[in-house]
Amino acid sequence: MTPDPGFAPAKINLTLHVTGRRADGYHLLDSVVAFADLGDRLTAGPGDGLTVTGPFAQGVPTDDTNLIRRALDMAGAPRAVVLEKNLPHPGGIGGGSSDAAAALRLVGAVLPTEALLRLGADLPVCVAARAARMRGIGERVDPLTLPPLPAVLLHPGLDCPTGAVFSALASPDNPGQAAVPERSDAPTFLRWLAAQRNDLEPPAMSAAPGIAAALDALRGTGAALARMSGSGATCFGIYDSPEAARAAAARLDRPGWWVRATTLT
């Protein structure tokens, strides 16, 4: 759990292997997830309702379709919540799920995994808010200890609908990941990471060609590895040091792109 219960960190899929599809249509995943030191922020008080502020407030629903309100209703703990929306959406970085998880932490509510999955596949891992290997449809979350990874997050300011990306996936039946080298140093972990995949990256690049440009831009600033998170459109680059990540973020800054240096853990 994050030390600050009102902080909703960006969730980054360092890997995302699609390993099957159930009869009910849900895809099976094998993913290593890390969390950034930047994200949205929530405060809660007596009453009910949702107010959204921040640079990405526009387009966030405040009615009963919002995951924050749904989670609190499910927990039987309605509150008047103020959400400072700092993360782009939709972005493949679990913003809505992380917000809902933070809301549950704020009120001290614990929901069973089955209930969390009704809200979304990312809810179980976002409730834990720490590095993990996530499998199945999101119900299996095994904590990991990863080295701190200096990184840059880049959202190229385009839409990448999740449904269209999954529909364009060449096959839902792909190999899972190799065993994760836990408690390793950063070079060892990066060598392992480079040999893994995000199976949604190719279909996402077809649906939104700007993702390829974002990945090329990250590689052009010396990223040791550049990959898309989730179903897109946010991409990440991993660097040798926090200084290199900050320098890369400064070079990548341009109109229409959301670019932030961060550390993933």
Side-chain angles (χ1 to χ4, degrees):
M1 183 177 292
T2 54
D4 180 354
F7 179 58
K11 174 225 56 155
I12 306 301
N13 295 94
L14 297 176
T15 66
L16 203 167
H17 294 214
V18 181
T19 59
R21 185 169 56 198
R22 302 194 320 188
D24 59 9
Y26 283 97
H27 285 82
L28 302 175
L29 307 177
D30 188 358
S31 177
V32 168
V33 172
F35 288 86
D37 58 5
L38 53 86
D40 298 334
R41 185 163 293 280
L42 288 77
T43 55
D48 194 4
L50 176 63
T51 301
V52 185
T53 67
F56 290 99
Q58 185 174 358
V60 177
T62 58
D63 59 12
D64 291 342
T65 64
N66 187 284
L67 282 180
I68 293 172
R69 297 195 61 178
R70 290 177 59 197
L72 293 178
D73 286 347
M74 189 176 287
R79 294 290 191 279
V81 175
V82 177
L83 166 65
E84 182 185 289
K85 192 66 183 167
N86 300 313
L87 299 177
H89 57 89
I93 52 178
S97 295
S98 191
D99 293 342
L104 291 172
R105 289 194 294 271
L106 273 175
V107 301
V110 178
L111 294 177
T113 299
E114 295 77 12
L116 294 173
L117 288 172
R118 291 200 294 273
L119 295 168
D122 282 338
L123 256 295
V125 76
C126 285
V127 163
R130 58 159 295 179
R133 184 174 183 177
M134 179 178 72
R135 282 176 277 188
I137 62 169
E139 79 281 4
R140 184 173 174 185
V141 177
D142 299 308
L144 296 173
T145 299
L146 304 181
L149 301 172
V152 170
L153 305 184
L154 192 169
H155 189 292
L158 48 84
D159 291 330
C160 190
T162 299
V165 172
F166 272 100
S167 295
L169 184 65
S171 170
D173 299 305
N174 303 286
Q177 299 175 134
V180 184
E182 257 209 281
R183 302 181 186 278
S184 64
D185 57 20
T188 300
F189 180 72
L190 282 174
R191 285 193 294 272
W192 175 87
L193 188 59
Q196 314 309 312
R197 314 180 306 274
N198 180 345
D199 288 328
L200 298 182
E201 191 174 288
M205 288 193 294
S206 296
I211 291 173
L215 291 169
D216 287 343
L218 288 163
R219 296 183 184 109
T221 60
L225 180 140
R227 185 169 284 160
M228 188 184 78
S229 177
S231 60
T234 304
C235 300
F236 64 89
I238 297 176
Y239 294 82
D240 294 333
S241 68
E243 294 77 17
R246 288 193 292 268
R251 287 177 58 190
L252 290 164
D253 189 28
R254 68 187 66 179
W257 281 14
W258 178 82
V259 182
R260 296 291 186 274
T262 187
T263 299
L264 305 177
T265 55

